[in-house]
Amino acid sequence: TVSDAVPLYEGRWFVTLAPSQASLEPDRLNSIRAALHVEFPEPARATLHPDEIVELTVTRANGLRAVLDLPADFAPVKSSSWRIELYCPSGDSDLLIGPRPVSSALYSPYETSSRTIGYEHVTFRGHQAKTLQVHAFGLPEYDYVESLDLRLRMTEVTQGFRPPSILPPLVLPAPDGDARTRALAATVAIFGNLGSGTGTILSGTGLVVTNAHVVVSPQAQAPLSGLPKRFSRGYFAGFNDDPRLPASPDVSLELLDYREDLDLALLAITGTLDEHPLPDGARFPAIELGSTTEIRLGDELLALGYPMTGGDSSMTTISLTRGICSGFAESLEGPSIKTDAGIHSGISGGALLDSSWRLIGVPSASITDTNYAGGLGFAIPVES
């Protein structure tokens, strides 16, 4: 197992053989026999020229890894700044730059980027270019993929100029349709530093509601007003209107505010995945709002979101569970709706819907009784 998702390299490695629980009974276990086979796949190779897009495919035969060199005659001004971008539409890939050889880059990298799935970027100074190598590598511990398509570009960072996006044009779901179509399109997967969760688009301008615990760490609480910049960036959302396809990050989010006491957070869609401006006149599908005052015990409820149990990859398809209104509760956080609809990890911040596909609550937690007879989920009512 390679920890921390770093690419393999030649050198000295150590292997720990861990016996099973039987080792607690020495009379049953006398020795462990193991055969260790190690291969160092040759990565895909390319040269990264300024302002040119490099497209290549890495396979498992390459270790899902590419190493790119800068041109031998590349001699930028030592004080200049350069940006390297990586786009990988088909899986999770990270970016690392550092000096040659490979082991030096891994132990003393100039910069790394693992901000989200699909897009990464790093910067370096001109004086580092002479010995610099670029490493792009997929993360097979998240996704079992045979190959990844990579697109990279190196451009100089100059004031007042930003090169065109290396991403394909943003395609937004239609903002209209019946209640079910809008609910599906308005339920988005959220990717961030704390992992993944779900959010719901409340307005055509791109306001998104989710649970505070999806986007704010309890160990790093920020004040309710004047959020420090380090808390307001680093969130991304993915959406689609086809339940057969996984949601990959499409747009960037900014954290506007949150209420820890309600476990609610409000974000805004502010740009594309690489933080370019949204298309002029962009409108997002917004969910239709319902009311819990119309909900009675036993009414049918639906829970919609992107649970971590929804697939075998870092990008999962949307999941729908069905149940009833199991009751109502009051706690220090305020009122909540109880339901036996499955509220699995990752659905937090998603949509609890009535039978007309209108939003009546935000799923926030679930419990299982001590006899494992069944689970009970809790949702924050839409009025909150």
Side-chain angles (χ1 to χ4, degrees), residues 17-379:
L17 299 179
S20 67
Q21 204 166 14
S23 64
L24 300 177
E25 303 175 49
D27 57 321
R28 293 192 182 187
L29 183 66
N30 297 319
S31 64
I32 297 175
R33 292 184 180 182
L36 177 65
H37 176 74
V38 178
E39 290 184 10
F40 292 99
E42 182 64 24
R45 295 274 180 173
T47 301
L48 193 58
H49 294 272
D51 302 317
E52 292 185 7
I53 291 179
V54 173
E55 294 185 327
L56 69 162
T57 299
V58 293
T59 66
R60 284 195 169 265
N62 304 125
L64 293 179
R65 176 171 156 239
V67 176
L68 298 93
D69 292 299
L70 306 188
D73 59 353
F74 180 56
V77 176
K78 290 185 177 181
S79 61
S80 61
S81 294
W82 294 78
R83 179 185 181 101
I84 296 174
E85 298 173 274
L86 167 66
Y87 173 58
C88 179
S90 53
D92 197 0
S93 184
D94 285 349
L95 193 58
L96 178 149
I97 59 173
R100 294 186 294 267
V102 177
S103 55
S104 297
L106 294 175
Y107 282 122
S108 303
Y110 293 152
E111 191 174 346
T112 63
S113 179
S114 55
R115 60 203 288 270
T116 190
I117 299 168
Y119 176 78
E120 307 293 343
H121 66 81
V122 294
T123 58
F124 68 93
R125 305 288 288 185
H127 68 85
Q128 298 171 314
K130 187 175 182 180
T131 60
L132 185 140
Q133 270 189 333
V134 181
H135 302 263
F137 47 95
L139 305 180
E141 66 266 38
Y142 297 150
D143 303 284
Y144 187 85
V145 293
E146 292 297 330
S147 65
L148 290 172
D149 296 322
L150 307 180
R151 180 185 299 175
L152 297 102
R153 183 181 63 190
M154 177 177 66
T155 53
E156 186 175 4
V157 179
T158 57
Q159 187 174 5
F161 171 74
R162 185 168 191 176
S165 173
I166 64 171
L167 275 62
L170 178 64
V171 178
L172 300 175
D176 49 14
D178 59 25
R180 179 156 90 171
T181 300
R182 288 204 312 244
L184 176 65
T187 304
V188 298
I190 292 180
F191 306 85
N193 297 329
L194 302 181
S196 60
T198 307
T200 305
I201 301 176
L202 297 179
S203 72
T205 57
L207 289 177
V208 178
V209 67
T210 187
N211 285 139
H213 73 258
V214 171
V215 293
V216 179
S217 168
Q219 288 77 32
Q221 296 293 344
L224 296 180
S225 60
L227 292 172
K229 194 168 185 178
R230 65 182 181 275
F231 291 106
S232 63
R233 295 284 182 183
Y235 310 103
F236 307 90
F239 47 81
N240 61 61
D241 49 7
D242 187 345
R244 296 170 181 83
L245 299 177
S248 58
D250 297 296
V251 293
S252 57
L253 301 169
E254 181 176 349
L255 179 60
L256 300 180
D257 207 349
Y258 70 92
R259 285 280 300 272
E260 183 186 7
D261 57 325
L262 294 178
D263 194 19
L264 289 174
L266 185 68
L267 302 97
I269 299 175
T270 54
T272 61
L273 179 61
D274 55 353
E275 298 181 348
H276 277 69
L278 294 168
D280 292 339
R283 297 291 296 177
F284 298 93
I287 201 161
E288 185 177 341
L289 300 183
S291 171
T292 60
T293 60
E294 303 172 9
I295 300 298
R296 297 182 301 172
L297 197 67
D299 282 355
E300 180 183 65
L301 299 180
L302 310 169
L304 195 60
Y306 289 89
M308 298 173 187
T309 54
D312 296 325
S313 73
S314 53
M315 296 181 290
T316 62
T317 54
I318 199 166
S319 294
L320 175 73
T321 59
R322 187 184 302 270
I324 63 170
C325 173
S326 303
F328 305 89
E330 286 282 346
S331 67
L332 294 176
E333 290 77 23
S336 60
I337 306 165
K338 295 189 287 187
T339 179
D340 62 349
I343 309 294
H344 306 295
S345 179
I347 282 187
S348 290
L352 186 68
L353 309 168
D354 62 18
S355 57
S356 298
W357 296 83
R358 297 175 301 178
L359 182 73
I360 63 158
V362 176
S364 60
S366 63
I367 59 172
T368 302
D369 67 28
T370 54
N371 296 316
Y372 297 95
L376 196 61
F378 293 83

